[in-house]
Amino acid sequence: MNTSNISRKDFLKNSALAMAGLALTPTMMSATPIFNDKDISGKEKLALKNVRLETGFEYEEGEIIATKTDLFYIEIENGKITKISPNQPNAKAIDAKGFLMLPAFKDMHIHLDKTFYGDKWQAVRKRTGGVKGMIALEQKMMPELLKNSTFKAEKMIELLHSKGTSFARSHVNIEPTSQLHSLKNVQKALDNKKKTFGAELVAFPQHGVFYTDSVPYLKEAAKMDIDFIGGVDPFTIDGAIEKTIDFTVQLALDNKKGIDIHLHESGDSGLKTVEYLIEKVNENPSLKGKTYLSHCFVLGKLDKTKQEEIAEKLGHAEIGIVSTIPFGSLIMPIPTLYKYNVKVLTGNDSIVDHWNTFGTGSVLQKANLMAQLYGQSTEFLLSRSLRLATGNVLPLDDKGNQQWPKVGDNADLAFLNASCSAEAVSRISNVESLIHQGSVVF
């Protein structure tokens, strides 16, 4: 199969299993993988036996108490699932060893361009001056970070892939210090990893659109191979909600891009930003389904009535929320967002960089945290929580009917040593120990 013309943004739609997209994990007792390069290198057609799939829910007195699974035989050709049939244990095929097959995970908010991961250890430095103080720090640090940012981005991609993730949405700094260098360096890393990893990119004015003159660089980046126009705290950084949002919306419209804005502001300015963005998207329906607010902490500060009102408006405007699932005193109203059909995604955000010393690279852990925060401990709710890791793709619908995989689906897969998705979400410590050993990539 010729993959030379497959772009990053088309990866999920066109990934070929033999070349790109099967994320898998070794067993807990051994680092021996299910597959290896010898098994599949250069092949366009694959056969797998002993593949575990979810088949339905088990009920007791009307309550879902377990998830049924069974073993299957699956054939894949040119990156598509071509056959799903009862298991053929004696077939000449790759042995999936009873591992659970799931849709590959997606990290939908990360910064591949600025990390210490893979390089010399550095802890977070003492912060002064709030976000603007961090901007001043970045202006000093970015020239040094950029020297090997392609290498570190590749290491981060390897970490994500080892956790079952094969696709990410990465924000890349576009501002006067980095200019277009962060973007170009990440593009190099993604090109080097295109056989195993896909991504979409956000042109991110970390230092403000107008606070530092990022406008000319954003306009140039918008004409390049990026997918979203980003933003950050229009009031706090630029001091002008409408001016910044208007610029961002127009730039996205002019270049047929989406929008993904970091919004940390949790007070009145945060609410005004959300409401103004909703207004602009409703005025420009082509942005519906292509606009996101990352973090959007203000939602966690609203009273229940206002949360419901804003969630309903977000759902109507088809504006998604990309939450890093904060915990402590700020709990995001994710169940309320789901109630109004707001698309909710998650990501790791920062991993070992000057913003955050922590980070595991696992979006399955994010699903586990969400389930804990909202008391989603029943079999049904645990199984629904998996959607955060998979980008809203679930093996079973709410009634227990199998909806994934189907013949014709893209073969972008993850394999876990768990009996069903509810167990995978719940027993994160065990699953993490599996995934942390690393995955075979090809």
Side-chain angles (χ1 to χ4, degrees), residues 22 24-27 32-36 39-40 46-52 71-74 87-100 415:
L22 187 62
L24 52 120
T25 54
T27 64
T32 302
I34 300 175
F35 307 97
N36 58 47
D39 286 329
I40 67 158
L46 294 172
L48 297 84
K49 62 184 180 181
N50 299 321
V51 176
R52 186 170 302 281
L71 297 179
F72 291 84
Y73 171 87
I74 293 176
N87 195 33
Q88 300 177 31
N90 297 321
K92 186 177 180 181
I94 297 170
D95 188 357
K97 302 178 181 178
F99 277 34
L100 178 68
F415 283 80

Side-chain angles (χ1 to χ4, degrees), residues 109-125:
H109 185 104
I110 198 162
H111 297 263
L112 293 174
D113 64 324
K114 48 184 185 181
T115 179
F116 302 141
Y117 187 79
D119 203 352
K120 180 181 177 182
W121 160 255
Q122 297 184 56
V124 166
R125 303 180 188 185

Side-chain angles (χ1 to χ4, degrees), residues 19 70 142 166 239 256 276 285 293 309 318 333 373 390 402 429:
M19 297 299 293
D70 207 345
M142 286 307 294
S166 69
K256 295 180 172 57
Y276 190 65
L293 283 163
E309 176 191 329
E318 298 179 36
L373 288 173
T390 61
Q402 190 180 54
S429 59

Side-chain angles (χ1 to χ4, degrees), residues 352-407:
V352 193
D353 63 8
H354 53 288
W355 290 85
N356 180 23
T357 301
F358 306 101
T360 67
S362 170
V363 289
L364 187 62
Q365 186 182 55
K366 295 288 184 178
N368 172 273
L369 178 58
M370 192 272 283
Q372 290 190 61
L373 288 173
Y374 302 106
Q376 299 190 351
S377 57
T378 66
E379 181 78 11
F380 176 74
L381 291 176
L382 281 170
S383 72
R384 304 302 87 185
S385 298
L386 182 71
R387 76 179 94 175
L388 271 178
T390 61
N392 293 306
V393 180
L394 289 173
L396 304 178
D397 67 17
D398 287 354
K399 296 184 181 298
N401 300 310
Q402 190 180 54
Q403 60 184 4
W404 181 96
K406 300 289 187 184
V407 170

Side-chain angles (χ1 to χ4, degrees), residues 150 154 183-193:
T150 296
E154 290 179 14
L183 171 59
K184 292 176 180 178
N185 287 357
V186 168
Q187 287 176 326
K188 289 178 185 177
L190 289 168
D191 188 60
N192 291 339
K193 294 294 185 180

